[in-house]
Amino acid sequence: MSHPIISNQERAEKKWRVGFILLENFSMMAFTGAVDALVTANLLSNSEHFSFTFYGENSESVKSDLNIDVAVTGSLKSIIPKQLDVLLVCGGLRTKLEVQPRLQSILQQAARLPCRIGGVWNGSYILAQAGIMHGYECTIHPENYALMSEVFPDVKVSKKPYVIDRERFSSAGATSTLGLMLSLIGQLSGEDLMRSVEGILNVDSVLGESADGSMTMLPSNPTFPESLKTILSLMETHIDEPLSAVQLADVVNLSRRQMERLFMKYMDTSPARYYLELRLTRAHQLLRQSNASVVNVSVACGFASATHFSHSFKDYYGMSPSEARKRRDKF
């Protein structure tokens, strides 16, 4: 269903109602990035552009991939699609790829309305199961790419970080969700607001900080092959659930050996080492700029255990994560 054309004045004054459907084990990083973008947009506006509500299977809370319970506004039964302008299904690596009958009914109702519907991580798989993605382009986490391409041949499954196709939208991972939300803000409330929000949230979204604390930008050398640029972007957008070397190489149709040669030629390091340092710099940034525990930082940066994280961090920075946090607190 197409959306009615509204003037710039109407768009600037309209308040968009956004509903987040949190599936069990949803990506906390993706969810908070999406909400942060909307909150920042409201803070930078003269009026509240976005209101939002959270929904889960029951009316109390939903457990995220960090094993943190997030309180919700209400259960799926309380969702009234006609009262929403945007509906976002938030999935995660361990989310079950099975749409519940009630959720399927809600999504089908929303699809018949002038409502924008999206999926985060593997949320687009749930949308396709509900039968509302026929003929649309979408993206999904690489872990589920092959499955979705096979199960839903009528859906154009992309390997882009995020996709907006008419009234459907999707993102493949945590960091790419922020890019998706920025684009949506631009569509709904204007590019000026989008750029303002981006200036606040994206100022250090590249690689975080180097060992000496200076900002390091995502490599953007124009001589880099497109395959290398794609791999670097995928690494950046999959910090909390790192992709395997085989998965990364497969996305750009290279063998693992070819990818390793590519990195040695242009980056003077191996893909594994580069990816590890990327995750460690993000961890250093979180330790310095947030109050998240060391355990939660290790999970958010894709480490299987806090012990492995601490050893890797100390090898790279010459101090433990706890010491890095203490140094921050001294200033």
Side-chain angles (χ1 to χ4, degrees), residues 47-221:
S47 60
E48 188 178 58
H49 281 271
F50 301 95
S51 64
F52 40 87
T53 47
F54 310 138
Y55 302 97
E57 183 178 356
N58 57 55
S59 59
E60 296 178 358
S61 64
V62 182
K63 192 174 294 297
S64 74
D65 58 347
L66 298 183
N67 205 33
I68 296 173
D69 291 326
V70 174
V72 295
T73 311
S75 66
L76 295 179
K77 292 188 295 185
S78 65
I79 298 177
I80 303 176
K82 66 181 180 181
Q83 294 181 354
L84 295 171
D85 301 299
V86 181
L87 191 57
L88 184 61
V89 178
C90 300
L93 189 68
R94 297 186 298 277
T95 296
K96 290 184 179 179
L97 298 181
E98 183 178 351
V99 64
Q100 300 177 25
R102 183 173 294 279
L103 178 54
Q104 178 171 331
S105 175
I106 290 168
L107 292 172
Q108 290 176 347
Q109 288 179 54
R112 294 191 290 268
L113 299 167
C115 180
R116 290 169 168 83
I117 309 171
V120 168
W121 201 285
N122 47 23
S124 54
Y125 192 96
I126 300 299
L127 305 189
Q129 277 192 323
I132 65 169
M133 293 300 292
H134 177 76
Y136 286 94
E137 180 182 0
C138 71
T139 190
I140 195 168
H141 191 277
E143 184 80 15
N144 307 116
Y145 176 85
L147 175 65
M148 185 160 184
S149 298
E150 167 133 6
V151 175
F152 303 107
D154 59 337
V155 178
K156 183 180 179 182
V157 188
S158 170
K159 293 182 178 179
K160 299 174 185 176
Y162 70 87
V163 170
I164 299 178
D165 183 3
R166 292 161 288 173
E167 66 275 11
R168 301 287 184 272
F169 58 94
S170 52
S171 63
T175 307
S176 57
T177 300
L178 176 58
L180 172 66
M181 296 307 292
L182 288 171
S183 294
L184 277 176
I185 289 170
Q187 281 192 5
L188 300 178
S189 297
E191 291 189 3
D192 288 343
L193 180 58
M194 178 196 73
R195 284 191 289 268
S196 296
V197 174
E198 184 177 25
I200 296 294
L201 299 183
N202 247 7
V203 63
D204 58 359
S205 68
V206 280
L207 296 191
E209 300 172 340
S210 62
D212 63 359
S214 60
M215 297 294 289
T216 58
M217 300 299 288
L218 180 68
S220 58
N221 191 320

Side-chain angles (χ1 to χ4, degrees), residues 280 309-321 323:
L280 288 171
F309 168 58
S310 294
H311 287 324
S312 299
F313 191 93
K314 189 168 185 177
D315 286 344
Y316 188 57
Y317 284 104
M319 58 182 162
S320 69
E323 289 171 329

